[in-house]
Amino acid sequence: MPGQRWSLRTWAGFLLAVIAMLMAAGYIVRLQFVQPENAAYRGKIVVGWESEFPYHYVQGEGELARRTGLDTELVTRYMGKLGYRVEFVEGDWHELEARLESGSIDCLPLVIETPDRAARFNFSNDYLDLQYAAFYRLQGNVRPPANPEALRQYCLQNQLRLGVVRQYAYPPPLQAIVDDPALPEKVVADSEYDNLSDLVTGAADLEFTDELLGASLLLKDGWDDDVGRVHLDLPPVSVHLAFNRKFPRESIDRLNHIILDMESSGETAALIRSYFYPSLLSLLTQDSFFREIGVLAAAFAAISGIFMAYRERLNLLGVFILAAAPAAGGGLMRDLVAGRRPVGVVADPLSLVVVVWLVLVSWIVFKVINRFPGKLQAKMDAIDVDHNPVLVFFDALGLAAYTVIGVLVAMQTRCEPLWLWGPILAAASNGGGGLLRDLIRGHYPIPMFSRFYTQIAIIWGAVLSWFFIWYSSYPPHELPAIAAALGATMLGVVLTRYVTVRYEDRL
């Protein structure tokens, strides 16, 4: 209105919005990834490749199959900026190391530098850090200690058969255990997959490997019931790109500058968020706690729709549509926006199965209540879905779970910049299903636009996204820190939801 003066609160909100836009603009400028100056085409470079999820793996099948993974993408970009076209050659580790020494391949990634290797190869600067864990056969073995010296004594006392990969180099504390002559003869395998398989079959008792690689193999092949893991008290292990002696030293020097440039520009961090964090986070989301939270989120998102259908006396199909829209519709909308294939509800239909059972049970219960009207029916009609303490609590848990899942999907589908798409997909996960339900009902005004609900997902989705942007630039990328961030985000969402319910009229 003409002549209307802005209040202090309005000015404060405007100032915060300007500051946020300036910060976002500055971050966009910083994300202008460094490109090599006059990177003339130098030809082909042959790089050794061993299938190790999530570093190197094949995605898709048939004609759609493509080689991808964190290390694959990093190496491809490094060499592209250096002027080379990469040709990957697959093989077992000991074969690839022998070929590198003979000169039939030019480069081998993910290599731990040792004095012996330094005498045979040239090395780049370190570019990734690995976290090592001990994997052990559950049957007949107790949980080994995490301290390397205590672990060595444990191996000696129990005369454990160590599984090792042919010609692998381990971090010095673990290499000392592997080389100890007092231990039984080692069980030698050609790959990490074969090494873990020896634990499952009982051919070996214990082995050491990168925690993410080993845990991913266990989940992928369903071996996590047979093999346990212990995160070791070791500093992160730096890995390098190893080159044969014929490869120009000046190119390696230029490569070292490219590695630093990509780290400072945020390009390496963006790749880590896209390829490394989704795999790392899958170790958490596969945990029963997160799975149960996801199922509860779907169940209690469906309850509001079930109550609405009951009050409007809809048939069974109507009950299912109003229940499934908030439980699965938001995730479907989020996955379509992000280009996720297959969409989550198809890849894991458990939440939809839970909704189906809820709908069937509730429909029968409501039929019985309607058949025998009385106090129970009056109590059911009097339930306030939006303010009932129990329902609000579980609704807050669902809101928290979907907020976290929305940000994880943004990283999994490589939606960058994350500070923009993380909050958007968090909001779509939570508000999209409710929006579909209210459009189907023809309910106006739509609560999504009049209640302080989806904004909670946007706020905490932004907080979690900025954490990942910051943390991905500073290795080591430790699972406990990431788990703590997810837990703090979920707690923040739950508390914010309770505050908004309490002060809804003022908001």
Side-chain angles (χ1 to χ4, degrees):
M1 292 177 63
Q4 184 178 13
R5 299 181 64 182
W6 283 12
S7 66
L8 180 61
R9 181 183 299 179
T10 305
W11 276 110
F14 177 74
L15 183 60
L16 286 174
V18 171
I19 292 173
M21 287 189 290
L22 290 175
M23 289 176 64
Y27 186 75
I28 292 173
V29 171
R30 193 164 65 84
L31 273 180
Q32 298 304 311
F33 298 149
V34 177
Q35 299 294 331
E37 295 182 5
N38 303 320
Y41 179 63
R42 294 168 174 259
K44 178 181 70 176
I45 183 169
V46 182
V47 177
W49 180 79
E50 184 181 23
S51 182
E52 293 183 327
F53 183 88
Y55 302 104
H56 301 278
Y57 61 97
V58 174
Q59 188 176 56
E61 296 179 358
E63 296 181 355
L64 299 178
R66 60 182 290 267
R67 186 181 287 106
T68 187
L70 172 61
D71 200 63
T72 301
E73 296 296 327
L74 281 172
V75 170
T76 301
R77 296 203 186 193
Y78 289 155
M79 299 309 168
K81 292 173 183 289
L82 200 56
Y84 289 98
R85 177 179 61 85
V86 179
E87 178 182 313
F88 286 101
V89 174
E90 188 174 3
D92 292 329
W93 181 264
H94 64 95
E95 298 172 355
L96 295 172
E97 190 171 350
R99 292 186 65 178
L100 182 66
E101 188 170 13
S102 69
S104 62
I105 64 174
D106 301 302
C107 175
L108 193 56
L110 295 175
V111 181
I112 298 175
E113 186 175 0
T114 64
D116 172 65
R117 288 173 173 172
R120 294 181 290 140
F121 311 124
N122 292 326
F123 285 89
S124 72
N125 290 346
D126 61 281
Y127 70 103
L128 274 180
D129 292 317
L130 307 183
Q131 300 277 346
Y132 267 72
F135 291 80
Y136 64 100
R137 187 166 176 257
L138 288 174
Q139 185 176 353
N141 290 307
V142 297
R143 182 180 175 86
N147 178 271
E149 182 55 37
L151 181 60
R152 180 173 173 273
Q153 295 300 323
Y154 170 83
C155 293
L156 290 171
Q157 290 169 6
N158 294 279
Q159 286 294 288
L160 297 183
R161 298 162 298 168
L162 285 182
V164 298
V165 178
R166 195 185 310 276
Q167 290 184 231
Y168 258 29
Y170 295 89
L174 302 182
Q175 191 68 52
I177 300 175
V178 171
D179 294 338
D180 196 319
L183 285 173
E185 185 176 351
K186 312 301 179 295
V187 180
V188 181
D190 289 330
S191 67
E192 291 290 4
Y193 180 87
D194 294 337
N195 207 13
L196 285 170
S197 179
D198 286 338
L199 292 182
V200 176
T201 60
D205 300 309
L206 185 74
E207 73 128 339
F208 312 123
T209 191
D210 170 55
E211 184 169 14
L212 180 59
L213 168 61
S216 298
L217 287 173
L218 294 184
L219 289 173
K220 185 178 178 182
D221 289 273
W223 291 342
D224 46 324
D225 292 332
D226 302 304
V227 179
R229 78 176 189 269
V230 175
H231 179 82
L232 296 175
D233 294 336
L234 288 172
V237 180
S238 298
V239 293
H240 309 254
L241 292 164
F243 296 87
N244 63 43
R245 291 292 191 177
K246 300 176 185 176
F247 194 78
R249 183 72 235 186
E250 54 147 294
S251 294
I252 299 177
D253 292 336
R254 290 189 64 235
L255 173 63
N256 290 335
H257 288 296
I258 291 171
I259 291 173
L260 292 175
D261 288 342
M262 285 180 58
E263 288 176 353
S264 62
S265 70
E267 187 171 0
T268 298
L271 289 173
I272 287 172
R273 291 196 300 274
S274 297
Y275 290 92
F276 190 74
Y277 276 21
S279 302
L280 194 63
L281 289 161
S282 69
L283 304 183
L284 287 175
T285 54
Q286 288 290 337
D287 183 87
S288 59
F289 170 75
F290 279 91
R291 189 171 178 80
E292 289 166 5
I293 287 293
V295 172
L296 282 174
F300 286 96
I303 285 176
S304 62
I306 290 173
F307 272 96
M308 290 176 184
Y310 166 71
R311 287 172 181 170
E312 295 176 15
R313 302 297 188 263
L314 300 182
N315 61 19
L316 184 60
L317 178 61
V319 176
F320 174 75
I321 291 176
L322 292 194
L332 179 63
M333 184 179 295
R334 173 202 64 214
D335 292 343
L336 291 175
V337 169
R340 189 187 190 193
R341 296 291 184 275
V343 294
V345 72
V346 174
D348 185 7
L350 178 60
S351 59
L352 197 58
V353 170
V354 170
V355 172
V356 170
W357 279 105
L358 268 176
V359 167
L360 291 175
V361 171
S362 63
W363 187 70
I364 293 172
V365 169
F366 290 148
K367 280 290 185 183
V368 172
I369 292 174
N370 290 335
R371 175 78 66 175
F372 304 100
K375 291 183 179 180
L376 184 58
Q377 185 178 23
K379 288 182 179 180
M380 294 294 293
D381 289 333
I383 290 177
D384 186 347
V385 178
D386 293 327
H387 297 90
N388 182 279
V390 176
L391 295 182
V392 168
F393 172 73
F394 286 109
D395 175 70
L397 277 183
L399 179 64
Y402 284 142
T403 298
V404 168
I405 291 170
V407 177
L408 301 191
V409 169
M411 290 193 294
Q412 184 184 48
T413 52
R414 304 178 190 102
C415 293
E416 291 286 342
L418 184 62
W419 59 263
L420 174 65
W421 287 107
I424 288 177
L425 296 190
S429 301
N430 284 287
L435 176 63
L436 287 176
R437 180 195 62 203
D438 294 326
L439 289 174
I440 291 170
R441 293 174 62 217
H443 186 279
Y444 299 100
I446 295 176
M448 177 181 175
F449 301 136
S450 58
R451 292 172 54 204
F452 195 87
Y453 185 84
T454 308
Q455 294 93 322
I456 300 174
I458 294 173
I459 292 168
W460 284 102
V463 170
L464 185 60
S465 298
W466 277 107
F467 167 79
F468 282 129
I469 290 169
W470 168 78
Y471 193 68
S472 61
S473 301
Y474 297 97
H477 311 283
E478 296 181 335
L479 195 58
I482 293 175
L486 297 184
T489 300
M490 294 182 69
L491 179 61
V493 170
V494 171
L495 293 177
T496 307
R497 174 69 178 132
Y498 265 100
V499 170
T500 57
V501 169
R502 184 176 178 84
Y503 299 102
E504 186 172 15
D505 292 339
R506 297 185 186 180
L507 290 173

PDB file of all heavy atoms in Angstrom, residues 357-374:
ATOM      1  N   TRP A 357      -1.574 -52.377   3.160  1.00  0.00           N
ATOM      2  CA  TRP A 357      -2.079 -53.078   4.338  1.00  0.00           C
ATOM      3  C   TRP A 357      -2.791 -52.123   5.301  1.00  0.00           C
ATOM      4  O   TRP A 357      -3.814 -52.469   5.898  1.00  0.00           O
ATOM      5  CB  TRP A 357      -0.924 -53.790   5.053  1.00  0.00           C
ATOM      6  CG  TRP A 357      -0.579 -55.093   4.416  1.00  0.00           C
ATOM      7  CD1 TRP A 357       0.504 -55.366   3.634  1.00  0.00           C
ATOM      8  CD2 TRP A 357      -1.335 -56.305   4.484  1.00  0.00           C
ATOM      9  NE1 TRP A 357       0.488 -56.669   3.205  1.00  0.00           N
ATOM     10  CE2 TRP A 357      -0.638 -57.277   3.716  1.00  0.00           C
ATOM     11  CE3 TRP A 357      -2.524 -56.671   5.104  1.00  0.00           C
ATOM     12  CZ2 TRP A 357      -1.087 -58.582   3.567  1.00  0.00           C
ATOM     13  CZ3 TRP A 357      -2.984 -57.985   4.957  1.00  0.00           C
ATOM     14  CH2 TRP A 357      -2.270 -58.925   4.197  1.00  0.00           C
ATOM     15  N   LEU A 358      -2.250 -50.931   5.469  1.00  0.00           N
ATOM     16  CA  LEU A 358      -2.901 -49.938   6.329  1.00  0.00           C
ATOM     17  C   LEU A 358      -4.292 -49.604   5.812  1.00  0.00           C
ATOM     18  O   LEU A 358      -5.255 -49.495   6.589  1.00  0.00           O
ATOM     19  CB  LEU A 358      -2.056 -48.660   6.380  1.00  0.00           C
ATOM     20  CG  LEU A 358      -1.023 -48.533   7.489  1.00  0.00           C
ATOM     21  CD1 LEU A 358      -0.217 -47.250   7.305  1.00  0.00           C
ATOM     22  CD2 LEU A 358      -1.697 -48.520   8.857  1.00  0.00           C
ATOM     23  N   VAL A 359      -4.389 -49.419   4.520  1.00  0.00           N
ATOM     24  CA  VAL A 359      -5.676 -49.069   3.912  1.00  0.00           C
ATOM     25  C   VAL A 359      -6.684 -50.191   4.123  1.00  0.00           C
ATOM     26  O   VAL A 359      -7.845 -49.956   4.500  1.00  0.00           O
ATOM     27  CB  VAL A 359      -5.485 -48.763   2.413  1.00  0.00           C
ATOM     28  CG1 VAL A 359      -6.840 -48.710   1.703  1.00  0.00           C
ATOM     29  CG2 VAL A 359      -4.732 -47.454   2.222  1.00  0.00           C
ATOM     30  N   LEU A 360      -6.260 -51.437   3.886  1.00  0.00           N
ATOM     31  CA  LEU A 360      -7.178 -52.570   4.038  1.00  0.00           C
ATOM     32  C   LEU A 360      -7.646 -52.710   5.485  1.00  0.00           C
ATOM     33  O   LEU A 360      -8.842 -52.880   5.754  1.00  0.00           O
ATOM     34  CB  LEU A 360      -6.493 -53.859   3.577  1.00  0.00           C
ATOM     35  CG  LEU A 360      -6.225 -53.977   2.072  1.00  0.00           C
ATOM     36  CD1 LEU A 360      -5.431 -55.243   1.768  1.00  0.00           C
ATOM     37  CD2 LEU A 360      -7.532 -53.976   1.282  1.00  0.00           C
ATOM     38  N   VAL A 361      -6.687 -52.631   6.419  1.00  0.00           N
ATOM     39  CA  VAL A 361      -7.043 -52.782   7.833  1.00  0.00           C
ATOM     40  C   VAL A 361      -7.953 -51.640   8.289  1.00  0.00           C
ATOM     41  O   VAL A 361      -8.979 -51.861   8.953  1.00  0.00           O
ATOM     42  CB  VAL A 361      -5.767 -52.847   8.706  1.00  0.00           C
ATOM     43  CG1 VAL A 361      -6.127 -52.772  10.193  1.00  0.00           C
ATOM     44  CG2 VAL A 361      -4.992 -54.120   8.412  1.00  0.00           C
ATOM     45  N   SER A 362      -7.572 -50.402   7.925  1.00  0.00           N
ATOM     46  CA  SER A 362      -8.372 -49.248   8.362  1.00  0.00           C
ATOM     47  C   SER A 362      -9.764 -49.272   7.739  1.00  0.00           C
ATOM     48  O   SER A 362     -10.752 -48.898   8.383  1.00  0.00           O
ATOM     49  CB  SER A 362      -7.656 -47.949   8.007  1.00  0.00           C
ATOM     50  OG  SER A 362      -7.517 -47.807   6.594  1.00  0.00           O
ATOM     51  N   TRP A 363      -9.864 -49.719   6.501  1.00  0.00           N
ATOM     52  CA  TRP A 363     -11.179 -49.774   5.837  1.00  0.00           C
ATOM     53  C   TRP A 363     -12.110 -50.744   6.566  1.00  0.00           C
ATOM     54  O   TRP A 363     -13.287 -50.452   6.792  1.00  0.00           O
ATOM     55  CB  TRP A 363     -10.994 -50.199   4.380  1.00  0.00           C
ATOM     56  CG  TRP A 363     -12.249 -50.126   3.557  1.00  0.00           C
ATOM     57  CD1 TRP A 363     -12.907 -49.003   3.142  1.00  0.00           C
ATOM     58  CD2 TRP A 363     -13.003 -51.236   3.066  1.00  0.00           C
ATOM     59  NE1 TRP A 363     -14.021 -49.329   2.407  1.00  0.00           N
ATOM     60  CE2 TRP A 363     -14.104 -50.705   2.338  1.00  0.00           C
ATOM     61  CE3 TRP A 363     -12.858 -52.619   3.137  1.00  0.00           C
ATOM     62  CZ2 TRP A 363     -15.043 -51.510   1.714  1.00  0.00           C
ATOM     63  CZ3 TRP A 363     -13.798 -53.429   2.509  1.00  0.00           C
ATOM     64  CH2 TRP A 363     -14.877 -52.876   1.818  1.00  0.00           C
ATOM     65  N   ILE A 364     -11.542 -51.896   6.977  1.00  0.00           N
ATOM     66  CA  ILE A 364     -12.339 -52.875   7.721  1.00  0.00           C
ATOM     67  C   ILE A 364     -12.747 -52.300   9.079  1.00  0.00           C
ATOM     68  O   ILE A 364     -13.902 -52.417   9.510  1.00  0.00           O
ATOM     69  CB  ILE A 364     -11.548 -54.182   7.901  1.00  0.00           C
ATOM     70  CG1 ILE A 364     -11.340 -54.855   6.535  1.00  0.00           C
ATOM     71  CG2 ILE A 364     -12.257 -55.125   8.858  1.00  0.00           C
ATOM     72  CD1 ILE A 364     -10.400 -56.048   6.571  1.00  0.00           C
ATOM     73  N   VAL A 365     -11.776 -51.649   9.763  1.00  0.00           N
ATOM     74  CA  VAL A 365     -12.057 -51.066  11.074  1.00  0.00           C
ATOM     75  C   VAL A 365     -13.151 -50.007  10.970  1.00  0.00           C
ATOM     76  O   VAL A 365     -14.103 -49.978  11.781  1.00  0.00           O
ATOM     77  CB  VAL A 365     -10.770 -50.465  11.688  1.00  0.00           C
ATOM     78  CG1 VAL A 365     -11.097 -49.629  12.925  1.00  0.00           C
ATOM     79  CG2 VAL A 365      -9.796 -51.575  12.054  1.00  0.00           C
ATOM     80  N   PHE A 366     -13.048 -49.145   9.962  1.00  0.00           N
ATOM     81  CA  PHE A 366     -14.039 -48.077   9.818  1.00  0.00           C
ATOM     82  C   PHE A 366     -15.411 -48.641   9.446  1.00  0.00           C
ATOM     83  O   PHE A 366     -16.448 -48.091   9.856  1.00  0.00           O
ATOM     84  CB  PHE A 366     -13.577 -47.064   8.775  1.00  0.00           C
ATOM     85  CG  PHE A 366     -12.404 -46.238   9.214  1.00  0.00           C
ATOM     86  CD1 PHE A 366     -11.462 -45.787   8.299  1.00  0.00           C
ATOM     87  CD2 PHE A 366     -12.223 -45.909  10.547  1.00  0.00           C
ATOM     88  CE1 PHE A 366     -10.380 -45.023   8.698  1.00  0.00           C
ATOM     89  CE2 PHE A 366     -11.147 -45.154  10.964  1.00  0.00           C
ATOM     90  CZ  PHE A 366     -10.221 -44.714  10.045  1.00  0.00           C
ATOM     91  N   LYS A 367     -15.424 -49.721   8.681  1.00  0.00           N
ATOM     92  CA  LYS A 367     -16.699 -50.362   8.358  1.00  0.00           C
ATOM     93  C   LYS A 367     -17.381 -50.873   9.628  1.00  0.00           C
ATOM     94  O   LYS A 367     -18.613 -50.727   9.809  1.00  0.00           O
ATOM     95  CB  LYS A 367     -16.469 -51.525   7.381  1.00  0.00           C
ATOM     96  CG  LYS A 367     -16.295 -51.110   5.946  1.00  0.00           C
ATOM     97  CD  LYS A 367     -17.590 -50.585   5.348  1.00  0.00           C
ATOM     98  CE  LYS A 367     -17.449 -50.280   3.875  1.00  0.00           C
ATOM     99  NZ  LYS A 367     -18.691 -49.702   3.309  1.00  0.00           N
ATOM    100  N   VAL A 368     -16.567 -51.489  10.512  1.00  0.00           N
ATOM    101  CA  VAL A 368     -17.111 -52.010  11.768  1.00  0.00           C
ATOM    102  C   VAL A 368     -17.630 -50.863  12.637  1.00  0.00           C
ATOM    103  O   VAL A 368     -18.709 -50.942  13.236  1.00  0.00           O
ATOM    104  CB  VAL A 368     -16.044 -52.823  12.520  1.00  0.00           C
ATOM    105  CG1 VAL A 368     -16.546 -53.210  13.917  1.00  0.00           C
ATOM    106  CG2 VAL A 368     -15.680 -54.077  11.730  1.00  0.00           C
ATOM    107  N   ILE A 369     -16.846 -49.765  12.711  1.00  0.00           N
ATOM    108  CA  ILE A 369     -17.262 -48.610  13.517  1.00  0.00           C
ATOM    109  C   ILE A 369     -18.555 -48.019  12.994  1.00  0.00           C
ATOM    110  O   ILE A 369     -19.455 -47.654  13.772  1.00  0.00           O
ATOM    111  CB  ILE A 369     -16.139 -47.546  13.525  1.00  0.00           C
ATOM    112  CG1 ILE A 369     -14.929 -48.071  14.313  1.00  0.00           C
ATOM    113  CG2 ILE A 369     -16.635 -46.233  14.136  1.00  0.00           C
ATOM    114  CD1 ILE A 369     -13.727 -47.152  14.238  1.00  0.00           C
ATOM    115  N   ASN A 370     -18.681 -47.920  11.687  1.00  0.00           N
ATOM    116  CA  ASN A 370     -19.907 -47.368  11.102  1.00  0.00           C
ATOM    117  C   ASN A 370     -21.113 -48.295  11.309  1.00  0.00           C
ATOM    118  O   ASN A 370     -22.255 -47.841  11.382  1.00  0.00           O
ATOM    119  CB  ASN A 370     -19.709 -47.111   9.605  1.00  0.00           C
ATOM    120  CG  ASN A 370     -18.758 -45.956   9.352  1.00  0.00           C
ATOM    121  OD1 ASN A 370     -18.602 -45.073  10.200  1.00  0.00           O
ATOM    122  ND2 ASN A 370     -18.108 -45.960   8.204  1.00  0.00           N
ATOM    123  N   ARG A 371     -20.829 -49.601  11.403  1.00  0.00           N
ATOM    124  CA  ARG A 371     -21.906 -50.568  11.607  1.00  0.00           C
ATOM    125  C   ARG A 371     -22.482 -50.464  13.014  1.00  0.00           C
ATOM    126  O   ARG A 371     -23.676 -50.661  13.223  1.00  0.00           O
ATOM    127  CB  ARG A 371     -21.362 -51.969  11.364  1.00  0.00           C
ATOM    128  CG  ARG A 371     -22.314 -53.092  11.657  1.00  0.00           C
ATOM    129  CD  ARG A 371     -23.353 -53.302  10.579  1.00  0.00           C
ATOM    130  NE  ARG A 371     -22.776 -53.739   9.335  1.00  0.00           N
ATOM    131  CZ  ARG A 371     -23.516 -54.089   8.275  1.00  0.00           C
ATOM    132  NH1 ARG A 371     -24.833 -53.996   8.364  1.00  0.00           N
ATOM    133  NH2 ARG A 371     -22.948 -54.461   7.148  1.00  0.00           N
ATOM    134  N   PHE A 372     -21.573 -50.129  13.983  1.00  0.00           N
ATOM    135  CA  PHE A 372     -22.000 -50.014  15.384  1.00  0.00           C
ATOM    136  C   PHE A 372     -21.657 -48.624  15.900  1.00  0.00           C
ATOM    137  O   PHE A 372     -20.675 -48.444  16.630  1.00  0.00           O
ATOM    138  CB  PHE A 372     -21.326 -51.083  16.241  1.00  0.00           C
ATOM    139  CG  PHE A 372     -21.571 -52.488  15.752  1.00  0.00           C
ATOM    140  CD1 PHE A 372     -20.602 -53.147  15.008  1.00  0.00           C
ATOM    141  CD2 PHE A 372     -22.774 -53.125  16.020  1.00  0.00           C
ATOM    142  CE1 PHE A 372     -20.822 -54.435  14.553  1.00  0.00           C
ATOM    143  CE2 PHE A 372     -22.995 -54.415  15.562  1.00  0.00           C
ATOM    144  CZ  PHE A 372     -22.021 -55.076  14.819  1.00  0.00           C
ATOM    145  N   PRO A 373     -22.425 -47.618  15.490  1.00  0.00           N
ATOM    146  CA  PRO A 373     -22.118 -46.247  15.905  1.00  0.00           C
ATOM    147  C   PRO A 373     -22.285 -46.073  17.413  1.00  0.00           C
ATOM    148  O   PRO A 373     -23.076 -46.747  18.049  1.00  0.00           O
ATOM    149  CB  PRO A 373     -23.136 -45.407  15.129  1.00  0.00           C
ATOM    150  CG  PRO A 373     -24.259 -46.349  14.845  1.00  0.00           C
ATOM    151  CD  PRO A 373     -23.647 -47.698  14.673  1.00  0.00           C
ATOM    152  N   GLY A 374     -21.493 -45.155  17.952  1.00  0.00           N
ATOM    153  CA  GLY A 374     -21.548 -44.900  19.382  1.00  0.00           C
ATOM    154  C   GLY A 374     -20.397 -44.014  19.795  1.00  0.00           C
ATOM    155  O   GLY A 374     -19.950 -43.141  19.031  1.00  0.00           O
TER     156      GLY A 374
END
